[in-house]
């Protein structure tokens, strides 16, 4: 069976935090089961962890080529795992994978957060006299839980994250095979090759998307969030509403444009960012007297908007029937979602707007999926990233607000000072009037309108411009992502990309997987 993530990402500690990965040179069941227990208890709600057996490390860095596990020992170790799993109280079993790396075999133990914690395991699983111990992670080590920490762990047993709860209403027919395969291909999982040859329940189980005992298994809420075309069927108002007030909400509340996006979480993120980048975001080029180089800046840096939109869907409560609301005015963009930040984050930190660090995540597993897609890092870096991108663009700092009862969370991203009061002319050029639901391409400062392409158009020049626009926004964009935006097949986009490479429009830097596109300026 294939690992649902890319093994190279684990070896290089990419996408998954380093404190969630352990390397073990050889099979040492005593220390390995301490780590399994600690990852399963997951006191920090970070999503469990991974243990790679057969990989030596120096200062936390995997040594290549890997040490490997001898072929004749693989079966013996897997039997040991099955036997020692019986010693857990309550029962727990890590998912076992055998991967071939550097011509050798490595055992990967995937240890998701358990839903029946706290778990205990004997301090020495090989001893005749066994003393049960509850282990937790402390940094990159596993320690025994005692005192207040143990009390906190026991209290967490009744606070299972919403996205990991089983939902009897989610059926197999609600899972889109297209969305599922698209995700597995994007993250480089070998499981994508098995999707059409194995029963769907086996694949979903391999991805830890089932909850409950064998006799009554339910798909987890996160399966609909990620892989259903209509998650609002299970979580009403799972959508993003964008309202544009060209003259400002207070000045003229009757002049507005509204747009609603629905679909899986990745689909909503993509549609929203495409809409903002096409209709709202533009670049300004100012000539500076006495200087050869012009001054260039954006009304809103795309990366800051991306971080804010992703975080609004990552941290919202899907059991609350409220949409994410994005309001665009001449003064800036505001993003409102429910509820507010966890109470473990001090109000002073929210007002300061530098770093919002929480130990408890509402949608822990959803965050793991978004990390694999490179949409978020999940290390409390969202706010610092937004402020960093705004500062680099010369924009004012973003502000963050919540109510005393933490019912809502509002992010306000100010427009660049050189772009104030330009929204009305932008809306007129875009023909976004009244309550029209569909936005059209807009002029973006110095950029010509032909650079945006035309979604759904099959004209060669429009397709070329759409590909160039997609690469400008994300050099790592895939053909499948461009195809979804343009409305053509992946095969058609791949053919056009091949022609563009042959004609010297673009070049590939690095390998097909892990590299990026570069536009050759002409």
């Amino acid at each position: 069976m294939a690992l649902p993530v890319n093994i190279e990402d684990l070896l290089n500690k990419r996408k998954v935090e380093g404190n969630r990965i352990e390397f073990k040179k050889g099979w040492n069941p005593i220390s390995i089961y301490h780590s399994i227990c600690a990852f399963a208890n997951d006191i920090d709600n970070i999503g469990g962890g991974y243990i790679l057996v057969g990989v030596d490390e120096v200062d936390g860095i995997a040594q290549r080529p890997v040490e490997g596990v001898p072929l004749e020992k693989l079966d013996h170790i897997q039997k040991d795992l099955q036997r020692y799993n019986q010693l857990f109280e309550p029962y727990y079993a890590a998912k076992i994978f055998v991967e071939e790396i550097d011509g050798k075999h490595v055992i990967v133990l995937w240890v998701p957060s358990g839903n029946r914690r706290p778990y205990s395991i004997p301090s020495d699983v090989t001893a005749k006299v066994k003393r049960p111990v509850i282990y937790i992670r402390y940094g990159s080590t596993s320690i025994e839980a005692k005192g207040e920490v143990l009390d906190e762990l026991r209290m967490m047993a009744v606070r299972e994250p919403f996205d990991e709860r089983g939902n009897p209403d989610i059926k197999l027919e609600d899972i889109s095979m297209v969305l599922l395969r698209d995700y597995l291909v994007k993250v480089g999982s070998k499981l994508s090759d098995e999707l059409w040859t194995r029963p769907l329940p086996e694949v979903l189980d391999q991805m830890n998307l089932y909850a409950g005992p064998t006799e009554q298994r339910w798909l987890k809420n996160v399966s609909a969030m990620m892989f259903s075309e209509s998650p609002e069927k299970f979580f009403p108002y799972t959508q993003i509403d964008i309202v544009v007030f060209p003259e400002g909400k207070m000045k003229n509340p009757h002049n507005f444009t509204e747009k609603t996006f629905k679909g899986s979480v990745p689909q909503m993120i993509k549609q929203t960012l495409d809409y903002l980048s096409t209709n709202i975001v533009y670049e300004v080029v100012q000539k500076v007297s006495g200087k050869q180089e012009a001054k260039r800046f954006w009304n809103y840096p795309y990366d800051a908007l991306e971080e804010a939109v992703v975080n609004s869907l990552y941290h919202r409560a899907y059991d609350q029937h409220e949409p994410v609301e994005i309001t665009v005015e001449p003064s800036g963009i505001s993003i409102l979602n429910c509820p507010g930040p966890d109470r473990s984050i001090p109000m002073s930190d929210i007002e300061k707007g530098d770093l919002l660090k929480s130990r408890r995540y509402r949608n822990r597993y959803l965050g793991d999926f978004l990390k694999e897609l490179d949409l978020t890092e999940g290390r409390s870096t969202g706010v610092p990233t937004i402020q960093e991108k705004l500062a680099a663009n010369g924009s004012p700092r973003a502000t963050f607000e919540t109510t005393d009862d933490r019912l809502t969370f509002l992010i306000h991203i100010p427009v660049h000072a050189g772009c104030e009061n330009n929204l009305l002319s932008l809306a007129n050029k875009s023909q976004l009037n009244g309550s029209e639901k569909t936005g059209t391409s807009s002029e973006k400062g110095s950029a010509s309108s032909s650079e945006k392409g035309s979604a759904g158009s099959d004209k060669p020049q429009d397709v070329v411009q759409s590909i160039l626009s997609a690469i400008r926004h994300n050099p790592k964009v895939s053909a499948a992502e461009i195809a979804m935006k343009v409305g053509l097949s992946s095969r058609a986009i791949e053919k056009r990309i091949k022609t563009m490479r042959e004609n010297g429009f673009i070049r590939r830097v690095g390998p097909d997987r892990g590299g990026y596109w570069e536009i050759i300026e002409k």
Side-chain angles (χ1 to χ4, degrees):
M1 295 186 289
L3 189 68
V5 297
N6 189 298
I7 185 64
E8 290 293 335
D9 286 342
L10 292 180
L11 286 167
N12 294 288
K13 294 187 176 181
R14 295 191 299 255
K15 301 182 182 179
V16 178
E17 295 93 326
N19 62 342
R20 296 180 55 202
I21 303 172
E22 267 200 12
F23 301 126
K24 298 290 186 181
K25 182 177 180 180
W27 173 239
N28 182 351
I30 298 175
S31 65
I32 286 174
Y33 267 87
H34 292 179
S35 297
I36 293 176
C37 182
F39 281 136
N41 282 323
D42 193 19
I43 191 169
D44 288 329
N45 269 344
I46 56 177
Y50 299 83
I51 303 170
L52 280 66
V53 182
V55 180
D56 196 9
E57 58 92 13
V58 174
D59 296 330
I61 300 175
Q63 300 300 291
R64 307 293 292 268
V66 299
E67 189 76 17
V69 176
L71 184 61
E72 61 273 13
K73 290 188 178 181
L74 290 176
D75 187 57
H76 171 73
I77 292 174
Q78 292 184 70
K79 287 180 179 178
D80 278 352
L81 286 164
Q82 294 173 6
R83 183 170 72 256
Y84 295 140
N85 287 343
Q86 307 298 324
L87 302 178
F88 268 110
E89 182 58 42
Y91 177 79
Y92 182 90
K95 295 182 180 295
I96 308 170
F97 304 88
V98 177
E99 294 283 322
E100 187 172 336
I101 308 167
D102 300 336
K104 298 178 182 178
H105 293 93
V106 169
I107 295 177
V108 180
L109 302 176
W110 178 22
V111 191
S113 309
N115 53 17
R116 299 173 66 193
R117 54 189 173 180
Y119 295 92
S120 67
I121 194 73
S123 58
D124 184 348
V125 292
T126 64
K128 291 183 179 180
V129 179
K130 296 176 169 59
R131 180 178 70 90
V133 175
I134 295 174
Y135 291 95
I136 61 169
R137 294 292 285 183
Y138 181 76
S140 58
T141 60
S142 301
I143 63 171
E144 183 176 349
K146 297 178 181 179
E148 293 182 1
V149 174
L150 181 56
D151 293 339
E152 181 182 353
L153 181 60
R154 286 173 173 151
M155 291 177 63
M156 290 176 67
V158 297
R159 297 202 303 262
E160 182 181 9
F162 179 78
D163 63 336
E164 294 196 48
R165 298 175 193 172
N167 190 328
D169 296 328
I170 304 174
K171 309 300 181 185
L172 284 177
E173 53 266 29
D174 295 312
I175 303 300
S176 166
M177 296 289 282
V178 174
L179 293 179
L180 186 59
R181 186 177 186 280
D182 183 58
Y183 167 81
L184 292 171
V185 169
K186 284 179 179 176
V187 303
S189 171
K190 297 178 182 177
L191 201 55
S192 61
D193 298 329
E194 302 178 13
L195 193 57
W196 309 113
T197 59
R198 290 175 56 192
L200 181 58
E202 286 187 15
V203 175
L204 298 176
D205 186 48
Q206 192 79 359
M207 298 175 68
N208 193 34
L209 289 174
Y210 274 108
T214 305
E215 64 273 14
Q216 190 179 50
R217 309 214 72 194
W218 293 338
L219 283 168
K220 295 180 178 180
N221 284 322
V222 70
S223 64
M225 296 175 189
M226 284 294 302
F227 306 117
S228 172
E229 297 277 2
S230 305
E232 71 275 8
K233 174 181 175 182
F234 315 102
F235 324 115
Y237 289 95
T238 296
Q239 62 192 53
I240 294 180
D241 293 341
I242 300 180
V243 185
V244 182
F245 293 94
E247 299 173 77
K249 189 174 182 179
M250 297 297 293
K251 185 176 181 180
N252 189 352
H254 303 292
N255 180 18
F256 67 91
T257 300
E258 59 182 356
K259 183 76 174 176
T260 295
F261 296 107
K262 298 181 180 182
S264 69
V265 171
Q267 284 179 315
M268 285 190 288
I269 291 172
K270 182 182 184 305
Q271 293 166 1
T272 299
L273 292 174
D274 283 349
Y275 179 85
L276 292 175
S277 65
T278 300
N279 296 287
I280 304 300
V281 177
Y282 62 88
E283 186 181 24
V284 173
V285 180
Q286 292 181 344
K287 296 292 185 181
V288 180
S289 178
K291 292 186 178 181
Q292 183 176 359
E293 293 185 0
K295 183 179 179 182
R296 308 176 73 98
F297 54 85
W298 297 82
N299 60 340
Y300 301 100
Y302 178 86
D303 290 341
L305 292 180
E306 179 183 43
E307 196 71 33
V309 170
V310 171
N311 275 274
S312 69
L313 289 172
Y314 179 6
H315 298 297
R316 66 157 287 177
Y318 287 83
D319 54 345
Q320 293 188 16
H321 302 165
E322 297 289 344
V324 172
E325 299 178 8
I326 300 179
T327 304
V328 185
E329 299 185 74
S331 61
I333 296 177
S334 298
I335 301 177
L336 178 72
N337 66 292
C338 301
D342 187 85
R343 290 190 176 276
S344 62
I345 302 175
M347 185 66 79
S348 58
D349 287 355
I350 297 172
E351 294 172 351
K352 190 176 181 182
D354 287 330
L355 177 66
L356 307 185
K357 186 173 178 60
S358 174
R359 290 185 60 190
R360 294 188 287 267
Y361 289 87
R362 293 191 183 94
N363 303 299
R364 179 176 56 194
Y365 203 13
L366 174 63
D368 283 347
F369 282 115
L370 296 179
K371 290 174 203 171
E372 290 294 327
L373 291 171
D374 288 327
L375 290 174
T376 184
E377 292 186 18
R379 299 179 177 90
S380 300
T381 59
V383 171
T385 298
I386 292 172
Q387 302 291 31
E388 175 189 338
K389 299 301 180 182
L390 288 170
N393 189 58
S395 302
R397 284 170 58 84
T399 57
F400 306 86
E401 300 176 23
T402 186
T403 56
D404 291 337
D405 48 12
R406 304 292 175 101
L407 292 180
T408 60
F409 186 52
L410 178 69
I411 303 176
H412 180 69
I413 301 178
V415 71
H416 191 286
C419 305
E420 293 176 350
N421 303 319
N422 286 349
L423 188 57
L424 181 59
S425 59
L426 186 68
N428 291 334
K429 291 175 183 177
S430 303
Q431 298 178 350
L432 297 175
N433 299 305
S435 59
E436 184 177 331
K437 296 293 183 180
T438 304
T440 57
S441 295
S442 61
E443 269 191 272
K444 293 191 177 182
S446 63
S448 67
S449 58
S450 65
E451 287 180 354
K452 283 66 173 183
S454 174
S457 171
D458 57 357
K459 294 181 180 180
Q461 63 270 30
D462 288 342
V463 176
V464 168
Q465 298 301 339
S466 295
I467 293 173
L468 292 174
S469 177
I471 292 174
R472 286 191 182 95
H473 282 125
N474 177 17
K476 293 185 177 182
V477 68
S478 67
E481 291 172 316
I482 299 174
M484 186 181 297
K485 179 177 180 180
V486 177
L488 299 176
S489 67
S490 295
R491 187 175 180 182
I493 295 298
E494 288 169 356
K495 285 184 177 180
R496 182 60 58 188
I497 287 176
K498 181 181 178 182
T499 302
M500 292 171 67
R501 293 179 73 175
E502 292 173 348
N503 291 334
F505 282 96
I506 57 177
R507 67 165 68 92
R508 186 70 180 177
V509 179
D512 289 339
R513 181 175 295 170
Y516 61 91
W517 293 107
E518 187 177 86
I519 297 174
I520 302 174
E521 299 296 341
K522 291 193 174 183

